[in-house]
Amino acid sequence: ALTEMNAMPWFGMDIGGTLSKLVFFEPKDAISEKTEDETQLMSNVTKYLTKNSAYGKSGHRDAHQQMDNVKICNRIGTLHFIRFPTSEMNNFLELAKRKGMAASVSTVCATGGGAFKFEENFKNELNLKLCKCDELDSLIRGLLFTVASNNNECYFWSQCTEDEQCSTQEYTFQYNKYPFIVVNIGSGVSVLAVYGPNNYKRISGTSIGGGTFLGLCSLLTGCNTFEEAIELAANGDNTKVDKLVRDIYGGSYSRFGLPGELVASSFGHMNSKEKRAQVSREDLARATLVTITNNIASIARMCALNERIDRVCFVGNFLRVNPISMKLLSHAMDYWSNGSQKAIFLNHEGYFGAIGCLLSFDE
Ligand code: ADP
C-alpha cells in the first residue's frame, strides 16, 4: 500500500458540506528513481493544474496561497491549492477522468463528509480508492504543519476598536506551546481545544455557521454567491436592521457596562413595517453577517473561558475575503475579555483539513 500511496503526484482532498478543497504537492527536487510513466503522467497533470488558475466552470486555484519549498516525506516541493463547490462533484469527476488525473494515482487521501458520501463515485467513475482520514485529525495536523513550515502564516487585527482604524499584523504563534483553541467556521462550526500535537477534544459547535450566513443572505437579498454576499455586506449598515442598546435606553446601559452601540436584538427593527421599508439589501446582508459572526464570537469566548485558554485560532472558508467578520471576532474577543483573549487568523484559512490529509503520506 505504501508504494501505491507514494506514487506521484500527491493529493489531499477535503470534501466539505459546501466547498471541496484539493491540495496537490508538486515535487521540485531532482529524484532519479521516478519511472518514465510516472514522469510523463506527472508532467501532464502538473502542467494542467499549474498552468491554469480556473478549471471548468467553478474550479479555482488560489495562487496567492501557494507554498514553496515545503518538505513532505523527504521531498522538497510546492503545495498548490484548489477549490470548487461540492455541488459540482460530478463535473469534477468527469474532468479528473478526462485529464488523466486518476490514471496517475491509485489512491487519494480524502477527508470531510464527502469522503464517505462520494466514495462509491470515486471508485466507479475513476477507479480510485479513497484513503479516508478523520476531518478534525486532519485539520489539526494540517494547521500544525502549516504554522511550523511558514513563518508568516498567522496574523491578528490590531486596534480593533469598532471600525476602520484596524489593520493586520503578523503574529508569531508559538505552536509548540499548548493549549490553544481552534474555531473552524465552515458550513457549520466546530470548536476544538488543542492540548498537544495528538491531543485535542471537540468542546463545542454550532449549526449556525458560514452556510447559515450564505443561506439567509441569499433568502434576504437574492444574492447568488458568497463574494456577492460579502460585497453587499461591506456596503450595508446593520444598525438599520438591528435594535441597539441605545434604541432601547436612549444611550448606554452603564450599570452593566453595555455601550449604546451594542446590538441588543439582532434583526430587532424588522418587526416594524416602517423600518422594513427603509432597509436595503446591503443593510440586510450586513446584519446577517454581524448576527452570525457575533454568535460565533460569543460561543468562542465562552469556550475559551471555560477551558481557561487565551489563544483562539479562527479558521475555515467563512473567513475568506471577509475582513468584516475577522474584525468583529477580534473586537469581541478583546473587548469582552478585557484584552486577555486573543483572536488569531491564518493565511491558509480553509485548507488545513486538505493539507493534513495529504500529510498522511508522511506516516
Ligand atoms: P465546508 O468544509 O463545510 O464546506 P468551508 O471551510 O469550506 O466548509 O467553508 C464553507 C463556507 O465558506 C461557506 O458556508 C461560505 O460561508 C464560505 N465561502 C467562502 N467562499 C465561498 C465560495 N466561493 N462559495 C461558497 N461558500 C464560500
Side-chain angles (χ1 to χ4, degrees):
L2 198 65
T3 41
E4 262 179 32
M5 297 256 295
N6 281 334
M8 289 285 186
W10 299 335
F11 290 103
M13 208 173 178
D14 177 5
I15 311 174
T18 307
L19 293 175
S20 291
K21 283 74 66 177
L22 181 66
V23 178
F24 143 63
F25 180 74
E26 178 193 6
K28 290 272 174 90
D29 50 3
I31 279 248
S32 49
E33 69 218 43
K34 264 188 278 182
T35 69
E36 218 164 276
D37 279 359
E38 188 186 307
T39 315
Q40 189 53 45
L41 281 167
M42 250 305 276
S43 70
N44 286 346
V45 173
T46 306
K47 250 186 229 151
Y48 173 68
L49 290 177
T50 57
K51 293 280 174 289
N52 296 289
S53 58
Y55 316 96
K57 277 205 194 90
S58 54
H60 292 276
R61 182 162 57 87
D62 286 309
H64 66 284
Q65 281 165 320
Q66 175 174 325
M67 271 168 75
D68 296 313
N69 290 314
V70 182
K71 190 173 177 189
I72 296 176
C73 227
N74 281 320
R75 300 289 299 264
I76 307 279
T78 298
L79 280 178
H80 299 280
F81 297 92
I82 294 166
R83 64 184 151 84
F84 62 90
T86 302
S87 57
E88 298 287 323
M89 186 55 80
N90 283 336
N91 291 328
F92 168 80
L93 291 168
E94 205 174 281
L95 188 75
K97 194 172 183 173
R98 215 167 44 211
K99 297 292 172 186
M101 265 195 238
S104 62
V105 275
S106 54
T107 313
V108 160
C109 287
T111 190
F116 296 85
K117 185 174 170 185
F118 296 108
E119 189 174 18
E120 284 297 299
N121 304 67
F122 276 82
K123 179 101 212 69
N124 297 339
E125 279 147 64
L126 295 178
N127 194 28
L128 208 66
K129 191 168 164 282
L130 292 186
C131 152
K132 299 195 289 302
C133 315
D134 177 80
E135 63 173 298
L136 296 181
D137 286 353
S138 301
L139 174 72
I140 299 301
R141 182 194 291 190
L143 186 148
L144 289 172
F145 171 84
T146 309
V147 173
S149 326
N150 257 358
N151 288 328
N152 51 5
E153 178 66 25
C154 304
Y155 61 97
F156 66 99
W157 291 82
S158 68
Q159 317 259 312
C160 271
T161 45
E162 285 311 296
D163 284 316
E164 309 305 336
Q165 298 292 307
C166 192
S167 65
T168 60
Q169 228 169 294
E170 205 169 295
Y171 180 73
T172 311
F173 186 65
Q174 300 198 305
Y175 56 89
N176 45 7
K177 276 214 186 125
Y178 297 92
F180 57 86
I181 279 180
V182 176
V183 180
N184 185 32
I185 318 178
S187 310
V189 181
S190 280
V191 184
L192 315 175
V194 186
Y195 299 103
N198 293 305
N199 180 11
Y200 72 89
K201 61 182 188 191
R202 184 179 187 278
I203 52 177
S204 188
T206 169
S207 63
I208 302 178
T212 318
F213 163 65
L214 194 51
L216 286 179
C217 201
S218 305
L219 280 172
L220 290 169
T221 71
C223 70
N224 291 306
T225 65
F226 179 76
E227 286 76 5
E228 196 190 334
I230 293 292
E231 174 74 25
L232 285 170
N235 294 305
D237 177 1
N238 66 294
T239 67
K240 300 239 165 72
V241 179
D242 294 337
K243 200 168 270 180
L244 308 186
V245 168
R246 67 158 186 257
D247 296 320
I248 303 170
Y249 273 79
S252 62
Y253 181 11
S254 38
R255 184 167 175 225
F256 289 103
L258 303 181
E261 299 71 50
L262 187 70
V263 177
S265 170
S266 300
F267 283 81
H269 276 325
M270 293 297 87
N271 64 324
S272 145
K273 199 172 177 185
E274 240 165 60
K275 298 265 189 203
R276 278 202 301 276
Q278 287 162 15
V279 298
S280 64
R281 295 167 71 224
E282 287 81 0
D283 299 336
L284 289 166
R286 180 67 165 239
T288 310
L289 191 61
V290 170
T291 299
I292 304 290
T293 305
N294 279 341
N295 189 57
I296 295 168
S298 170
I299 292 168
R301 274 193 306 108
M302 285 191 282
C303 288
L305 200 61
N306 245 346
E307 297 290 319
R308 300 192 172 78
I309 299 178
D310 51 13
R311 295 177 302 166
V312 182
C313 296
F314 290 94
V315 300
N317 277 320
F318 174 65
L319 299 173
R320 244 194 88 237
V321 297
N322 187 0
I324 297 172
S325 289
M326 289 192 277
K327 290 180 198 178
L328 276 173
L329 290 167
S330 303
H331 178 252
M333 298 299 287
D334 185 66
Y335 183 86
W336 296 108
S337 74
N338 282 319
S340 69
Q341 294 175 351
K342 189 159 198 72
I344 300 154
F345 301 92
L346 289 85
N347 285 319
H348 290 85
E349 60 229 336
Y351 279 113
F352 300 114
I355 296 170
C357 196
L358 181 138
L359 293 174
S360 26
F361 280 110
D362 220 350
E363 287 195 323

